[in-house]
Amino acid sequence: MRLVIKFAGALLERPTEALYKSRSQQVAELATQGHQVFVVHGGGRTFTRTLARLGIESRFVEGLRVTDPETRDVALMVLGGLLNKQLAAAISAFEQPAVGIAGGDAACFLAEPLSHPAGLGFVGELRAVNVEFIESLWAAGLVPVAACLGLGADGQVYNINADQMAAACAGYLRADKLIYLTDVPGVLDGDEVIESVECGEIDDLVKTNKVSGGMVLKLDACRRALAAGVSDVQIVGGENTSSLLAAASGECRGTRVGTGTRVGRG
Ligand code: ADP
Ligand code: MG
């Protein structure tokens, strides 16, 4: 099975903790079992903290980070460097070699600038994946770990929202499953996890403020993955020890997002 797993930002924050190690071990286990596993990560909070240390302010428009040239360079250092190499090392520690890749490595992830009226700078959308290269990594027994960065036709590196990156990669790689590990147990309605969300009701969930912040982008990304032909898309809790392996085996412990047109809830 071909599996795309997006690591939660909250997990990436704590690379020395048991939680980070056990999720990395589970990724290693899935690959060792013979699945073609592809990991995607962002790392917004570590990124924001590093920018602050450098005296660079973070600014967001509709959840997307305004990325000037300086901010972009720090994205490459933090996302493509620190967080990417840490995660590849954590998976590799469980006798399953993983390799960190980003943007223009082997022309792997090609991006186009995202057109937005606010002018977001170096924010991009994924437009192509070097699928042959990724397949060669799988054939060599490696787990590719991708930072959410793409290379533009202008030779510049673009920052891509990690949820959108995961969805687009799942589409290009024709993944069987896309699993979002996040810092909540799934899409919540109050305290309750919503077992399934249909594409047709996402706009309504946003309009009625049932869903906000990072979850809006995530659900939009899920919708895009489904439209690209990925048939199993789940949002599950990264803190829950069994959620990842359960999701991989087809049992959803969080929220499954479907292609249905149901509008509104109950
Ligand atoms: P990730 O690192 O997984 O992308 P985000 O912080 O971007 O995490 O998105 C998850 C966050 O979305 C949750 O921590 C929560 O604050 C927010 N959120 C807003 N509305 C909801 C909702 N209805 N259900 C779950 N999370 C929600
Ligand atoms: Mg997010």
Side-chain angles (χ1 to χ4, degrees), residues 76-96:
L76 195 48
M77 293 179 215
V78 175
L79 306 179
L82 180 70
L83 298 176
N84 187 253
K85 303 309 164 196
Q86 251 167 6
L87 187 51
I91 297 164
S92 301
F94 294 100
E95 289 171 34
Q96 169 51 62

Side-chain angles (χ1 to χ4, degrees), residues 3-239:
L3 265 174
V4 172
I5 300 169
K6 192 256 176 176
F7 252 60
L11 281 175
L12 298 165
E13 290 272 286
R14 295 128 56 190
T16 57
E17 285 185 18
L19 205 60
Y20 183 89
K21 290 182 185 159
S22 84
R23 274 326 139 268
S24 302
Q25 182 173 17
Q26 288 171 341
V27 167
E29 262 172 51
L30 289 167
T32 308
Q33 285 165 17
H35 296 300
Q36 294 177 318
V37 182
F38 181 90
V39 177
V40 181
H41 69 87
R45 288 166 246 207
T46 311
F47 186 16
T48 298
R49 251 203 330 272
T50 310
L51 286 167
R53 275 163 60 189
L54 296 168
I56 304 168
E57 194 193 334
S58 290
R59 217 155 52 78
F60 294 88
V61 174
E62 290 157 20
L64 297 168
R65 185 185 295 272
V66 180
T67 308
D68 63 12
E70 261 191 318
T71 303
R72 190 279 315 277
D73 290 355
V74 182
L76 195 48
M77 293 179 215
V78 175
L79 306 179
L82 180 70
L83 298 176
N84 187 253
K85 303 309 164 196
Q86 251 167 6
L87 187 51
I91 297 164
S92 301
F94 294 100
E95 289 171 34
Q96 169 51 62
V99 61
I101 45 177
D105 296 333
C108 211
F109 306 108
L110 302 185
E112 255 176 34
L114 181 78
S115 66
H116 191 285
L120 300 174
F122 292 108
V123 174
E125 276 193 293
L126 191 67
R127 282 290 177 251
V129 170
N130 184 346
V131 177
E132 218 172 280
F133 172 66
I134 300 295
E135 286 175 339
S136 77
L137 296 177
W138 283 327
L142 297 164
V143 172
V145 177
C148 56
L149 298 166
L151 182 71
D154 54 3
Q156 299 278 0
V157 171
Y158 286 79
N159 184 17
I160 300 171
N161 170 268
D163 290 336
Q164 300 286 353
M165 173 96 177
C169 286
Y172 286 119
L173 293 168
R174 306 208 162 282
D176 300 294
K177 267 181 213 290
L178 168 61
I179 302 169
Y180 286 97
L181 294 176
T182 186
D183 62 347
V184 283
V187 181
L188 302 171
D189 184 359
D191 293 337
E192 299 278 307
V193 175
I194 306 176
E195 271 177 43
S196 77
V197 166
E198 299 302 329
C199 282
E201 62 181 329
I202 294 176
D203 289 342
D204 196 49
L205 287 170
V206 176
K207 263 190 231 137
T208 55
N209 288 321
K210 283 200 169 147
V211 162
S212 58
M215 198 50 78
V216 177
L217 285 173
K218 209 179 299 295
L219 282 174
D220 181 53
C222 291
R223 179 159 49 188
R224 289 186 192 209
L226 289 160
V230 184
S231 60
D232 188 0
V233 178
Q234 301 185 34
I235 300 172
V236 303
E239 323 252 327

